[in-house]
Amino acid sequence: MTTHDSTSVAGSDSASPSVAGAGPASADDRRAVTGKRRIAFAVYVTDAGQLPGFHTLLRSLALTNPALCEDVVVLHPGLPEASFDAAHRLHPRLIPRTADGRHDAFLLDGYDTVIALTPALVVLGGIDDLLRLRTGVAAVPGPGPDGVPGPRDGIPHDGLLVIQRQDLDRPVPPAAAQDIPESVLVPLDSRYDFRALRLRDDLAVPEGVVVLNFAGVPESHTGPAHAARARFDLDDEAFRAAYLALPGAKHPDLLPHLALPFPEGSRPPIDLVRQLAEIHRGRGHHDRAVALLGEAVAGRPDLPRCHETLGVCLMALSRYEEAETHLLLATASPDFAPRAYGQLARLAWLLGRTEDARRYALSGLESDPTDANCRAWYARTSEAVAVGATAPDTSPGEQLAHVALFADGEENAGDKVLPEAVRSCFTTDTGPDRWHQQHAHLLVDEAGLERLNARRAVIVGGGGLFLPDTAPNGNSGWQWNIPDDVLARITAPLAVFAVGYNVFDGQRYRRERFAASLRALVERSAFFGLRNHGSVARVRELLPASLREKVRYQPCPTTVARHLDPRLAGPAVREDTVLLNCAYDRAGLRFGHDYGHFLAEMASAIRAISGAADVRYAAHMPADERFVDDLRREHGLALPVEPLYLLSNDAIRDLYRRTRLVMGMRGHAGMIPFGCGTPVISLVSHPKLAYFLADIDRPDWGLSVHERALGARLAERALAMLADHPAAVADVHDRQRALWSVTRDNLARLRELTGLPDPFGDPGRGADPVVPAPRSAAGEDRPAPSLRPAPPTL
């Protein structure tokens, strides 16, 4: 192994897929927190003479798997960097690295699964099954005496390998494929590494061959195998054209790489332009999407789909007048009118034009009475008109302003419970008499600024407001739609309370606008509290040193609900149930290639736990119910569904309080039951769940959705908690005391800003706070022995 070269394989920081080919700030990398599996291809080229074969391999991989784009680490003995210029044109995530030989594929730091290929291979079909492998080192066994692969004939040195690096975690890694321990070998079907040498007398390539191996085949040899390979021997222009002509989904890294820049003098297909704009939009590059679409639709009112996408992107840049124009153009088409009217309703609502929003939503329903989005906007705006007609009895100067997400209808149940929990920290009355509600997504214009400044104080939070792609805007880069100059003119005391940094592992976003807005927010805030130490660390990274100490830890109020609501303080009467929750927003970022594995492991866990309790499904929003459908279809298991999105806040808390255990993937599917005193196990697909468990010093209450033995480990932990349930409940109560202590200290500081009385009395009167009604800590609230085995790797 080369040790003096900083770009050698072992210890190379550039093995991180989050930075490959896209710049170091393009995507969040929190794999150490989520346990998300990282996959790479590795190809060793011995010299420049093998590069043409390597290029053919890259083209074959793209043309047969157009929706796949993982890192490709090309290992080489020290070729000049310019040698890889042609390969870079073929793939956006190419990482050249010096290496001593092919065995260095076993040493690729930063990856969990490495698919080792050679320049002699071409890919003829889909390789999804290889990406889903989770154990050992998989390979097609070498040929026996008769030329047919046999189970005892070892691993060829020139074939395909699928390496799970954790299974080779030994002091001395294998020096060659033949040195792989037999105990970890996993045989693959020959179609994944079919030897072209077997095709004699011009035999056709057998149907179903996925990877064809030309090792040892003379260049002069001709026949069907060479014809199969020759279709990938294309120049750059032909390759780009072939890829762009493919039907179906294409990877959002690979498509722009091969489509852009457009050839000079050509007019690209409008569908391609829109696809590229959608990719830019999905990554928060709305300015790039506008540049592409603006040129494409100039003088073309007959492109409603493009006008709709352009309008949405302009809205994300806070260019609202232009956005409205293009969305109105999109309503000319009956096919796109309902969608466009739904976006127009949202735009008008963002600007405070509630009546216009209602009219747009009604127009959308006239176009399509079944359109759910327009129906939701019509209901929301009709309710807003009715509420706006009733003025509170309290004068503005006696109210607090609350900036948050306020869910309604069938939206996320957690976002319904959270605002009430925040308000409960400050006042016993959480209604409109005491609180002026300002939805975070509404533009804060001059009138909005005047309303905020008229209040006693402005409380921003809680929830994961530091997220770039939920209702994006060009004013702040996060969910509060407030320009910097307006923020600077807030004169009322401003407190950020229990906000979370909610960027997903692997999510790309533009940090510049967000970082500038964040700095202005911290400078202006009298109190700045984030809901977990992970968020504190992430936000401090984006701030200058002079502001970092202003960022404090403030737990989410839902986690201390027993201390906020006297009705939750006493012992709970529990049913013999376990509630399960999963989340599907941004499913690709949550599961990667492991969704099938996750589903199978969860089926195994549910079967094991069902012997001890009735397992039911808690859906925080309708999309969560996909798990129930997939579980029934794939594994024949049916779960009763509790639709929390239809329940009141009290009913949500009551349901979580009455169950014995909650296994949840959503952040508030863990925090709300925990706050009610119910034991939880988190299914970690987002860093925030691990952050919360770290805060309460219970990392073992979480398991990564990518955990190899997820089913067995989840069942083991769940059954242990159910077996000694009083101890598990007492452990929750004990953990909760620390969060309440932090909250009480912070609220004491905040009372100096608001001038409000303490709704909880004197904290020095006992271990538990005094609440505005009688309560008891007896029964379940007793010390617990530790339930923690060795902490898992998340």
Side-chain angles (χ1 to χ4, degrees):
M1 169 63 66
T2 303
T3 57
H4 64 277
D5 188 343
S6 62
T7 61
S8 61
V9 175
S12 170
D13 61 358
S14 57
S16 168
S18 67
V19 302
S26 62
D28 254 38
D29 183 359
R30 286 295 174 267
R31 56 188 151 173
V33 176
T34 63
K36 187 174 181 180
R37 190 164 57 106
R38 297 304 201 255
I39 300 174
F41 296 100
V43 184
Y44 182 71
V45 294
T46 58
D47 52 45
Q50 287 194 328
L51 289 175
F54 174 53
H55 300 158
T56 300
L57 169 63
L58 290 178
R59 288 189 288 263
S60 72
L61 183 62
L63 292 175
T64 56
N65 293 266
L68 176 67
C69 188
E70 302 292 344
D71 286 4
V72 176
V73 182
V74 52
L75 306 171
H76 63 93
L79 298 176
E81 185 65 29
S83 303
F84 304 102
D85 288 351
H88 279 296
R89 293 195 297 270
L90 302 176
H91 199 282
R93 294 170 62 176
L94 191 79
I95 307 174
R97 289 290 175 265
T98 56
D100 285 344
R102 191 182 185 223
H103 64 278
D104 280 0
F106 299 120
L107 307 175
L108 287 184
D109 288 342
Y111 299 102
D112 304 288
T113 299
V114 176
I115 302 177
L117 307 172
T118 78
L121 302 178
V122 289
V123 181
L124 304 182
I127 60 170
D128 287 349
D129 288 343
L130 298 181
L131 298 169
R132 286 192 282 262
L133 292 174
R134 296 299 309 269
T135 58
V137 177
V140 175
D146 58 355
V148 177
R152 298 184 180 275
D153 293 311
I155 301 296
H157 67 88
D158 56 359
L160 175 145
L161 300 173
V162 184
I163 303 163
Q164 309 301 330
R165 293 193 64 241
Q166 74 177 89
D167 291 327
L168 296 179
D169 188 15
R170 302 184 301 156
V172 181
Q178 290 81 1
D179 297 331
I180 297 171
E182 186 176 351
S183 61
V184 302
L185 289 177
V186 176
L188 282 177
D189 187 275
S190 63
R191 65 196 181 101
Y192 291 108
D193 190 4
F194 192 89
R195 300 276 162 164
L197 278 174
R198 295 174 59 187
L199 301 174
R200 303 182 185 278
D201 301 322
D202 292 333
L203 290 175
V205 177
E207 186 176 353
V209 167
V210 176
V211 179
L212 191 57
N213 192 332
F214 285 84
V217 177
E219 289 291 333
S220 58
H221 196 277
T222 59
H226 276 268
R229 182 178 187 175
R231 66 190 177 99
F232 302 114
D233 289 330
L234 306 169
D235 60 30
D236 285 358
E237 184 177 350
F239 168 57
R240 284 164 49 120
Y243 182 83
L244 297 178
L246 292 172
K250 298 178 179 66
H251 194 278
D253 282 350
L254 197 51
L255 178 57
H257 184 76
L258 297 180
L260 297 173
F262 295 129
E264 288 189 20
S266 67
R267 189 176 183 89
I270 195 66
D271 284 344
L272 174 60
V273 173
R274 190 191 55 78
Q275 288 179 56
L276 293 169
E278 289 287 3
I279 289 172
H280 288 319
R281 174 190 170 194
R283 291 182 168 172
H285 297 164
H286 298 98
D287 51 346
R288 297 181 188 175
V290 166
L292 275 175
L293 286 170
E295 182 177 351
V297 305
R300 297 287 305 275
D302 58 330
L303 299 173
R305 192 173 186 182
C306 290
H307 282 288
E308 182 209 1
T309 301
L310 178 54
V312 171
C313 292
L314 286 164
M315 201 188 322
L317 295 173
S318 298
R319 293 163 57 177
Y320 297 116
E321 186 174 346
E322 297 170 78
E324 191 163 14
T325 297
H326 287 282
L327 289 170
L328 284 169
L329 285 171
T331 64
S333 166
D335 293 335
F336 295 99
R339 284 170 43 174
Y341 276 123
Q343 294 293 349
L344 283 163
R346 181 166 74 93
L347 185 152
W349 174 80
L350 288 174
L351 301 179
R353 294 160 38 195
T354 308
E355 289 284 5
D356 287 348
R358 186 168 178 264
R359 282 193 290 269
Y360 279 139
L362 184 59
S363 296
L365 289 173
E366 290 171 351
S367 300
D368 180 2
T370 68
D371 189 87
N373 190 38
C374 288
R375 185 163 298 280
W377 278 113
Y378 185 75
R380 169 183 280 184
T381 51
S382 297
E383 181 181 352
V385 169
V387 170
T390 305
D393 296 331
T394 310
S395 66
E398 294 301 311
Q399 289 183 314
L400 294 170
H402 189 194
V403 178
L405 301 184
F406 299 98
D408 53 22
E410 296 185 0
E411 294 183 274
N412 193 330
D415 289 338
K416 295 179 182 179
V417 173
L418 181 55
E420 183 184 34
V422 170
R423 296 178 181 190
S424 296
C425 292
F426 296 87
T427 62
T428 54
D429 180 357
T430 60
D433 284 343
R434 273 308 224 174
W435 292 84
H436 166 69
Q437 179 170 302
Q438 170 79 20
H439 198 292
H441 296 168
L442 288 171
L443 174 67
V444 184
D445 54 14
E446 294 300 322
L449 175 64
E450 184 177 346
R451 288 191 293 270
L452 292 178
N453 282 336
R455 266 63 194 186
R456 179 188 289 266
V458 178
I459 310 298
V460 180
L465 297 181
F466 293 147
L467 184 63
D469 62 345
T470 297
N473 71 82
N475 290 318
S476 70
W478 56 292
Q479 291 196 58
W480 192 15
N481 193 356
I482 183 167
D484 288 355
D485 68 306
V486 176
L487 176 63
R489 288 184 285 130
I490 291 180
T491 56
L494 176 64
V496 174
F497 190 79
V499 169
Y501 181 91
N502 261 28
V503 176
F504 280 72
D505 179 24
Q507 184 170 18
R508 302 168 185 262
Y509 75 104
R510 302 287 286 272
R511 288 165 170 78
E512 297 85 358
R513 176 81 290 266
F514 170 58
S517 176
L518 177 66
R519 177 172 181 166
L521 180 68
V522 176
E523 288 175 337
R524 179 63 192 82
S525 298
F527 178 89
F528 195 93
L530 302 184
R531 68 181 179 185
N532 51 61
H533 283 97
S535 290
V536 169
R538 302 306 312 285
V539 167
R540 283 179 174 172
E541 292 171 1
L542 298 171
L543 292 172
S546 60
L547 293 176
R548 290 172 189 164
E549 291 307 311
K550 287 192 69 174
V551 182
R552 303 174 58 87
Y553 169 47
Q554 168 53 53
C556 180
T558 60
T559 65
V560 292
R562 289 179 55 254
H563 297 268
L564 297 173
D565 187 341
R567 296 170 297 179
L568 305 175
V573 178
R574 301 189 186 271
E575 299 172 352
D576 199 20
T577 61
V578 170
L579 292 179
L580 170 66
N581 163 268
C582 297
Y584 285 91
D585 54 308
R586 306 165 186 83
L589 293 173
R590 291 184 183 275
F591 299 109
H593 296 285
D594 290 341
Y595 181 62
H597 166 79
F598 167 77
L599 202 63
E601 292 295 307
M602 290 303 298
S604 172
I606 290 167
R607 289 190 173 100
I609 297 168
S610 293
D614 179 24
V615 181
R616 306 177 70 84
Y617 191 73
H620 274 224
M621 54 195 311
D624 291 0
E625 295 178 21
R626 174 182 165 183
F627 177 83
V628 178
D629 296 336
D630 290 351
L631 189 71
R632 181 173 56 246
R633 183 182 64 253
E634 298 294 330
H635 298 282
L637 281 176
L639 293 182
V641 176
E642 301 282 358
L644 272 67
Y645 52 85
L646 297 178
L647 303 182
S648 67
N649 288 351
D650 284 342
I652 292 169
R653 286 186 288 259
D654 183 61
L655 180 68
Y656 274 138
R657 190 166 183 261
R658 286 186 285 109
T659 194
R660 298 178 66 198
L661 173 67
V662 177
M663 305 181 297
M665 190 181 298
R666 289 196 176 277
H668 281 104
M671 290 188 286
I672 293 174
F674 175 90
C676 295
T678 298
V680 297
I681 298 175
S682 291
L683 301 171
V684 179
S685 67
H686 188 291
K688 64 182 178 183
L689 287 94
Y691 291 159
F692 169 65
L693 297 180
D695 287 343
I696 61 173
D697 193 28
R698 290 296 183 266
D700 51 295
W701 288 1
L703 286 167
S704 169
V705 298
H706 306 276
E707 167 70 42
R708 184 184 291 186
L710 174 61
R713 296 186 69 182
L714 178 60
E716 179 185 12
R717 294 185 188 184
L719 292 172
M721 286 186 171
L722 294 173
D724 194 358
H725 194 258
V729 171
D731 200 13
V732 170
H733 291 184
D734 181 63
R735 300 294 91 194
Q736 209 174 58
R737 288 190 187 96
L739 305 186
W740 180 240
S741 177
V742 173
T743 300
R744 291 288 279 150
D745 287 346
N746 287 336
L747 290 177
R749 296 171 181 267
L750 285 163
R751 282 196 301 276
E752 298 175 7
L753 298 178
T754 65
L756 292 172
D758 182 2
F760 306 105
D762 179 7
R765 293 178 56 181
D768 286 319
V770 176
V771 294
R775 67 186 292 275
S776 170
E780 295 176 274
D781 203 6
R782 59 183 177 82
S786 174
L787 300 178
R788 292 181 289 164
T793 299
L794 291 178

